[in-house]
Amino acid sequence: MNLSIVILAAGQGTRMKSQLPKVLHPLAGRPMVKYVLEVATQLEPTGLALVVGYGAQQVRRALGEGILYAEQLEQLGTGHAVLQTRELLAGQAETVLVLYGDTPFITSQTLEAMLAHHTQCEAAITLLTFRPDDPTGYGRILRDETGRVTGIVEHKEATPEQREIREVNSGILCFRDEWLWPHLEKLQPKHGEYYLTDLVEMAVAEGEPVAAQAADAVEVMGLDDRVKLAKAEAFMRRRINEGWMLAGVTLLDPASTYIDASVEIGQDTVIYPNTHLRGATAIGRNCRIGPNTIICDSTVGNGCVIEASVIEEAVLEDDVDVGPFAHLRRGAHLARGVHIGNFGEIKNSYLGPGTKMGHFSYLGDATLGANVNVGAGTITCNYDGERKHPTVVEDDVFIGSDTMLVAPVKVGRGAKTGAGAVVTRDVPPGQVVYGVPARAKQDREREKTNE
Ligand code: UD1
């Protein structure tokens, strides 16, 4: 079926009490409106427009320019909001589906069933309705004695008897395109707002069929305050965690495991309690992650072990082990079999295969070859107060404990530094240097004779 989709996201979300537009509040690490956009895209619409208003620039910045935006300068109601998309969408498809940007649990299956019912009934409007525990605030569905929908009355205008009605409007509706646009213009304001829901009464008055489809209350839950947001977060996380467990990942304590929607995890990986996997993170197979670990925007290969550590924008190849208490920062790249022990920090550095850094060290802007031993307390002095400088350590180097590598500096293949060395100039391959400043034995003796 050819379809246009409108997503309403112009409201401020007053009850969030936030500077951030409601639809950008994250759910499992992703702005809630992204879930709606994803489901909308699965329906393969011919056109999709997002109505923005409050915080429009912020929303556009967060979602990018790959979407059609319609700006609603004043929030004059849902009818007025849909009208803003007329130029973008009218006449392009048979059906127009209206979604809300703050109902992230809606599924494509429910929408497909609703659209199929709409087509079958040849309806002008089809409503997605549900029965919440507490209907306060929702538009109530009015039906006649035969059960046919006759209108929607908003909570504000409903009589005490109408307020007893349990069936309510979820806000998700679809329309026959050619019927919708001319009728939208005919809406009259109530309390300064143009109600999209008033179209139902118009259609009924014209003898047009109006259909309704029931939905699950969770799927149409709107997240308009932070209590609902927290409930939704717990629900979403449970759904994500169960998905990974069913896909072959062991979570020792799902309740204290926080996995963003965007994360990937390989089979037979075991995740220990209090682990947070965030953003664009991919974890390989057969890893052991946690407890007490945060991994953000990073790639971790197969067979890695990460314990009580923080890892951000880093790449770990296969069989790397890290921690406890390590901090890998932006641009850390650990090749196969690297070992990082406790209290290590690595930033913008490559460590070649088999390299080991066991105890409290800092590597910044460094390139280390294969099988380097980084002794306890080694520091790359990469910052001179104004600029950052690189350090290069070639294959098979032994860096003695407490060595200061004063960058820019290079330590050649197979060289060694003594404990406490302060390396201020390049060390040729195979040489042993020690002391402050670090020198080879023969250089030191020569310097002594010259004195
Ligand atoms: C609306 C429905 C109500 C339904 C309820 C479900 C109308 C008149 N009422 O209530 O029947 O039970 O949703 O939650 O349609 N929005 C705009 N521009 C506006 C106003 C709203 O984009 O000018 C957007 C909001 O960002 C939100 C959605 O439309 O995503 C619904 O607005 P909201 O104010 O929450 O709904 P109500 O009008 O109270």
Side-chain angles (χ1 to χ4, degrees):
M1 173 204 287
N2 64 51
L3 179 70
S4 296
I5 298 183
V6 179
I7 301 177
L8 301 186
Q12 179 182 357
T14 324
R15 273 166 293 198
M16 278 289 183
K17 302 215 164 58
S18 177
Q19 298 293 320
L20 191 67
K22 175 169 62 173
V23 292
L24 293 186
H25 278 263
L27 191 61
R30 231 194 221 171
M32 64 170 93
V33 66
K34 282 219 172 171
Y35 294 91
V36 182
L37 280 166
E38 201 173 85
V39 168
T41 312
Q42 282 164 15
L43 298 174
E44 299 179 352
T46 41
L48 187 159
L50 189 73
V51 183
V52 290
Y54 179 81
Q57 290 315 317
Q58 253 174 301
V59 176
R60 291 176 87 125
R61 228 177 296 124
L63 302 179
E65 290 303 320
I67 307 169
L68 291 176
Y69 293 97
E71 201 148 334
Q72 188 190 22
L73 296 174
E74 261 185 294
Q75 278 70 70
L76 297 178
T78 47
H80 181 259
V82 173
L83 191 57
Q84 308 311 304
T85 66
R86 184 173 52 182
E87 282 186 17
L88 297 171
L89 300 177
Q92 294 195 6
E94 280 166 43
T95 307
V96 181
L97 171 66
V98 177
L99 303 173
Y100 286 179
D102 68 347
T103 54
F105 293 111
I106 190 70
T107 62
S108 55
Q109 290 86 334
T110 296
L111 295 175
E112 272 160 8
M114 176 195 182
L115 290 165
H117 188 56
H118 177 73
T119 311
Q120 201 188 3
C121 298
E122 296 178 5
I125 308 176
T126 299
L127 318 170
L128 195 65
T129 70
F130 74 111
R131 293 173 180 273
D133 295 338
D134 177 8
T136 309
Y138 290 102
R140 309 298 203 280
I141 307 295
L142 306 178
R143 292 181 184 263
D144 64 16
E145 325 67 66
T146 66
R148 258 204 312 252
V149 174
T150 56
I152 299 178
V153 59
E154 291 303 314
H155 183 89
K156 267 192 277 198
E157 282 101 25
T159 62
E161 297 82 66
Q162 288 169 332
R163 287 187 180 181
E164 293 299 313
I165 298 171
R166 311 292 299 183
E167 188 190 17
V168 304
N169 172 28
S170 70
I172 295 174
L173 319 96
C174 64
F175 298 90
R176 193 189 310 138
D177 175 89
E178 55 176 21
W179 187 89
L180 171 67
W181 305 105
H183 286 83
L184 264 183
E185 283 175 23
K186 295 185 188 157
L187 285 175
Q188 296 300 316
K190 286 183 183 156
H191 305 107
E193 277 194 35
Y194 296 86
Y195 292 174
L196 190 61
T197 45
D198 281 353
L199 292 179
V200 174
E201 218 173 274
M202 271 192 219
V204 171
E206 289 175 14
E208 288 281 359
V210 174
Q213 173 98 352
D216 178 70
V218 171
E219 274 200 35
V220 294
M221 173 166 58
L223 309 185
D224 53 9
D225 65 35
R226 298 196 204 217
V227 175
K228 287 187 190 141
L229 187 64
K231 278 188 192 148
E233 182 78 16
F235 179 83
M236 186 64 96
R237 298 228 175 257
R238 213 163 40 234
R239 187 146 114 177
I240 292 170
N241 287 354
E242 285 175 9
W244 286 119
M245 289 187 276
L246 293 171
V249 176
T250 296
L251 307 187
L252 263 80
D253 180 23
S256 72
T257 304
Y258 305 83
I259 304 172
D260 278 359
S262 45
V263 168
E264 296 291 331
I265 312 172
Q267 229 175 37
D268 289 321
T269 282
V270 179
I271 302 185
Y272 286 77
N274 196 24
T275 291
H276 302 246
L277 305 179
R278 298 181 184 152
T281 289
I283 311 275
R285 295 186 303 275
N286 295 310
C287 293
R288 224 171 68 214
I289 311 288
N292 304 327
T293 291
I294 301 172
I295 305 180
C296 218
D297 299 324
S298 295
T299 303
V300 176
N302 300 324
C304 291
V305 177
I306 300 168
E307 193 182 350
S309 291
V310 176
I311 297 182
E312 304 153 302
E313 297 181 54
V315 174
L316 281 64
E317 296 184 19
D318 295 347
D319 304 318
V320 168
D321 79 284
V322 175
F325 318 123
H327 188 189
L328 306 184
R329 295 167 50 206
R330 174 188 294 203
H333 183 157
L334 279 45
R336 187 184 192 109
V338 164
H339 160 73
I340 304 298
N342 40 204
F343 309 112
E345 175 180 340
I346 300 175
K347 183 217 76 174
N348 188 34
S349 294
Y350 173 81
L351 278 68
T355 284
K356 296 183 168 44
M357 179 176 121
H359 329 271
F360 37 91
S361 291
Y362 169 63
L363 298 180
D365 308 304
T367 307
L368 277 66
N371 302 314
V372 173
N373 182 87
V374 181
T378 296
I379 305 286
T380 52
C381 310
N382 60 327
Y383 185 50
D384 61 12
E386 282 175 21
R387 256 168 298 161
K388 303 280 172 71
H389 300 283
T391 299
V392 175
V393 178
E394 292 184 342
D395 294 351
D396 305 314
V397 163
F398 179 92
I399 306 281
S401 295
D402 219 10
T403 293
M404 301 294 120
L405 297 162
V406 183
V409 74
K410 179 172 171 180
V411 183
R413 189 187 179 101
K416 286 190 170 135
T417 71
V422 177
V423 182
T424 55
R425 64 186 192 201
D426 291 355
V427 180
Q431 199 157 69
V432 179
V433 296
Y434 59 93
V436 181
R439 297 288 182 261
K441 192 159 182 254
Q442 64 274 21
D443 291 346
R444 195 170 291 284
E445 277 162 7
R446 200 177 312 122
E447 279 169 21
K448 230 180 208 163
T449 328
N450 291 345
E451 269 168 18

